[in-house]
Amino acid sequence: MKEFGKEVVRMESIGKEFPGVKALNRMDFTIHEGEVHAIVGENGAGKSTLIKILMGVHQKTSGEIYVRGEKVEIKNPIIAQELGLSAVYQDVTIAQHLTVAENFFLGRLPILRGGFVDWKTMNQSARKVLDELHILVDPKEQVRNLSVAQQEMVIIAKKYFEHSKLIIFDEPTALLANEEVDELFTIIRKLKDEGVACVYISHRLEEIFELCDTVTVMKDGERTATMPVSETNEDDLIAKMVGRTIGDMYSIKHFEPGEKVLSVENMTSEGIFKDISFDLHKGEVLGLFGLVGSGRTEIVRALYGADSHTSGKITIEGQDVTINNPGKAISHGIGLLPEDRKQQGLALDTSVENNVNMASYGDISRFGFIDLKKEKERSLKQIKDMKIKTPSEKQRVINLSGGNQQKVVIGKWLCKDSNIFIFDEPTVGIDVGAKSEIYRLFEELLAQGNSIIMISSYLPEIMGIADKIMVISEGAHTGTMVRGEYGEEELLKLASGIV
């Protein structure tokens, strides 16, 4: 058993009830100085609720919280910050129009005599912290000019600068490339060495074993196990979370490809991608793999008509088609599940019912009037078929978990009777249980003769799901491999442009 420093946070018998829902039940959690403690569990297990209670976003219904041995009431996020508790969330939240140093001193700018801002002190102080954490960012640079990974590093540095005693990392690697993940882990290990307690939440279990000291498993709002990471394995954790083994995770039933439904020839967008050609058949999954920034997303957005392309030919079911806007793509049976589902795939402030029917209201309307009975029936069917966890079809989508939000987007295209589905990073930020349900849905779509184009940065996923993988590097097609030929080394070489 590893030895850690003093206790930083202890949560005892925490309960939380929402109207009609018991989100947490007698939940216990303890973390110490210099400990990296993972929390894992399916969506709906209660992880987010627990963290939000600790950060003062939600108020507990029962139980006690102790910070450094003192009983506390965390009534709002300001109190949490004053207690040295902070969080780095999956969605980067930082003032884009300010410099790195200005973000560090936000709300407490150092002022010289005469009322002038002490820019020199700000920049020097920020530089010192960035150097300590080996973050290669100019403190004078505006945040909006930084990559997502750099912005995340800046947020972590800011929490360290604010002397946080505990930092929560909520799906921190969801949008990072492999080398950026390595940089993040280096920073977290540095924080650990400095005695900072780190809570690490991730659906990528291999990260837990590489980085964390301790793991707590949650299921249905309760703690089912807490153990040293060295005393467990992925199969054990998955079994404790969902009752399945890892061997069942990244695999689906594959079907014999049918007739060609889509052909793309020499599609080009000047300066972004060039001469992209591929075919897609009924019952087939075509995987697009490449490093972040390779052009994968831009290719499928052009195919969907969300972005323009300067040349190339698109044929659907033997007919040449022109797709210069999403409406044309939808009319040809193409549905896109974008990488940023919250901003581009959903209307977060409206109901599940509205979102599911959004792309096909024209199919259930007459003379401008919506058939409300069909609207409800269709949404209830998708909720049932895809096991969307929601109190009702009237629930606002913003209140659903990431996995359930993704299912709502899929339901939208199922209602439209799409037959070519484009999934851009379909399982980012969702748990193993929800992943299995989405893969099951893939099987159902394929069995019905539909076709799938899937982008994934996660090699075990794309190698297990795709029938063939097209590799993109710097906007160029560097090779295609079929199932049975896949090898991680070969795919990474192609993705790096080594051909």
Side-chain angles (χ1 to χ4, degrees), residues 211-249:
L211 180 68
C212 300
D213 303 300
T214 314
V215 57
T216 287
V217 182
M218 293 184 66
K219 183 175 177 62
D220 298 329
E222 299 182 352
R223 179 178 67 90
T224 60
T226 295
M227 68 203 87
V229 168
S230 59
E231 295 180 8
T232 186
N233 55 54
E234 290 192 30
D235 273 344
D236 183 39
L237 286 184
I238 290 174
K240 283 182 168 63
M241 284 189 283
V242 296
R244 289 183 290 275
T245 65
I246 194 167
D248 301 323
M249 283 298 302

Side-chain angles (χ1 to χ4, degrees), residues 289-291 471-474 478 489-499:
F289 178 72
L291 305 179
V471 185
I472 307 297
S473 176
E474 296 183 352
T478 55
E489 185 176 347
E490 291 81 358
L491 287 170
L492 286 171
K493 282 181 178 179
L494 290 170
S496 302
I498 304 172
V499 293

Side-chain angles (χ1 to χ4, degrees), residues 77-125:
I78 294 175
I79 293 176
Q81 184 177 359
E82 291 172 347
L83 290 169
L85 313 179
S86 61
V88 179
Y89 297 105
Q90 178 181 340
D91 299 321
V92 175
T93 52
I94 191 167
Q96 298 287 318
H97 63 290
L98 300 181
T99 68
V100 171
E102 286 171 328
N103 270 280
F104 274 40
F105 284 89
L106 199 60
R108 50 194 178 92
L109 297 177
I111 304 298
L112 296 168
R113 288 183 180 180
F116 296 102
V117 176
D118 188 351
W119 298 106
K120 182 178 180 181
T121 295
M122 283 177 55
N123 291 323
Q124 286 180 344
S125 299

